[in-house]
Amino acid sequence: NAGVMQNPRHLVRRRGQEARLRCSPMKGHSHVYWYRQLPEEGLKFMVYLQKENIIDESGMPKERFSAEFPKEGPSILRIQQVVRGDSAAYFCASSTDRGDNSPLHFGNGTRLTVT
Amino acid sequence: GESVGLHLPTLSVQEGDNSIINCAYSNSASDYFIWYKQESGKGPQFIIDIRSNMDKRQGQRVTVLLNKTVKHLSLQIAATQPGDSAVYFCAEGGNNRLAFGKGNQVVVIP
């Protein structure tokens, strides 16, 4: 039973380019979360999605960031016109229920570096 | 607003000794708590969870204690092994999500 799969593992983008991060949840999981982690920091909530719906995006920056979880295919976190401050590790997690009521299972993250 | 914090940034422990990691939380409405372990270059790995109707829960070599009166959570690791070296995060559930603390580095000395 494959865990949460994220790709790419490492992504390098120049300022102004777009970054697309992909996440395939565990089989049978319909709840997906994205978190961002800066070096030596905890994980900061970004967005919570269920299939085809954004449930809570209160942790997402208002501009340049978007997320989707289509009916078919992986969840995508998209960052447009990246800036150096976007450099971080982005983790996706999935669960069978809401994340405040059941364990989240995390992928190994995508490490984004903006040059 | 809610906040979750850890008291000690780094804990060095001799192999075979017990480890205790502490965590304070401020949202008294939280009713679900989790401990995660994160090794370098990997995502957080679930260790153990506890709901607010319990004050203690045991797993394999780990025990989580919850003191709702003082809003304190702790993780005890018995007979610490080199493979336990990692950063440990506590997290509290509320508002459809988990809120994480900053993390506590555990270093096991062989």
Side-chain angles (χ1 to χ4, degrees):
Chain A
N1 186 16
V4 176
M5 304 300 292
Q6 289 188 251
N7 68 83
R9 287 298 308 275
H10 300 275
L11 182 61
V12 179
R13 285 287 178 265
R14 291 199 200 93
R15 279 179 298 172
Q17 291 184 319
E18 178 179 290
R20 292 172 70 88
L21 288 62
R22 295 174 187 78
C23 169
S24 296
M26 285 181 69
K27 188 177 181 181
H29 287 193
S30 59
H31 300 254
V32 166
Y33 289 76
W34 285 93
Y35 282 80
R36 176 163 64 177
Q37 185 177 37
L38 294 171
E40 300 186 359
E41 295 267 334
L43 288 89
K44 302 297 182 188
F45 167 80
M46 298 183 74
V47 62
Y48 164 37
L49 310 103
Q50 294 182 29
K51 280 288 187 182
E52 299 185 275
N53 289 305
I54 297 174
I55 307 301
D56 182 352
E57 57 181 348
S58 58
M60 291 263 278
K62 293 287 184 279
E63 298 176 350
R64 302 188 298 107
F65 285 71
S66 62
E68 62 177 12
F69 187 18
K71 187 177 180 181
E72 302 291 339
S75 175
I76 305 287
L77 179 67
R78 182 181 177 207
I79 312 172
Q80 295 177 288
Q81 299 174 325
V82 296
V83 300
R84 290 224 171 102
D86 297 334
S87 295
Y90 292 84
F91 289 96
C92 172
S94 71
S95 65
T96 56
D97 196 352
R98 279 178 12 217
D100 60 349
N101 202 37
S102 63
L104 295 182
H105 298 269
F106 284 84
N108 281 328
T110 293
R111 279 146 188 84
L112 172 65
T113 302
V114 179
T115 61
Chain B
E2 64 190 52
S3 67
V4 180
L6 297 175
H7 296 305
L8 300 174
T10 303
L11 175 66
S12 297
V13 59
Q14 206 72 36
E15 182 179 356
D17 288 352
N18 297 335
S19 305
I20 299 176
I21 308 166
N22 296 302
C23 177
Y25 65 94
S26 60
N27 187 355
S28 55
S30 294
D31 59 5
Y32 183 59
F33 304 88
I34 298 186
W35 281 100
Y36 282 91
K37 169 188 179 183
Q38 187 176 27
E39 297 172 277
S40 181
K42 295 186 178 180
Q45 178 186 356
F46 170 81
I47 301 174
I48 193 167
D49 59 0
I50 189 167
R51 299 194 186 275
S52 59
N53 60 352
M54 303 173 69
D55 53 21
K56 180 180 179 179
R57 190 165 187 225
Q58 288 184 291
Q60 189 177 10
R61 283 200 307 118
V62 294
T63 301
V64 56
L65 299 176
L66 174 62
N67 186 331
K68 294 181 286 295
T69 303
V70 295
K71 288 184 277 189
H72 185 268
L73 191 69
S74 68
L75 178 71
Q76 300 176 0
I77 305 173
T80 312
Q81 302 169 357
D84 295 328
S85 293
V87 176
Y88 290 79
F89 294 96
C90 64
E92 62 178 311
N95 300 321
N96 289 319
R97 72 184 76 153
L98 290 178
F100 284 80
K102 275 199 169 184
N104 191 346
Q105 176 84 47
V106 172
V107 177
V108 180
I109 303 166

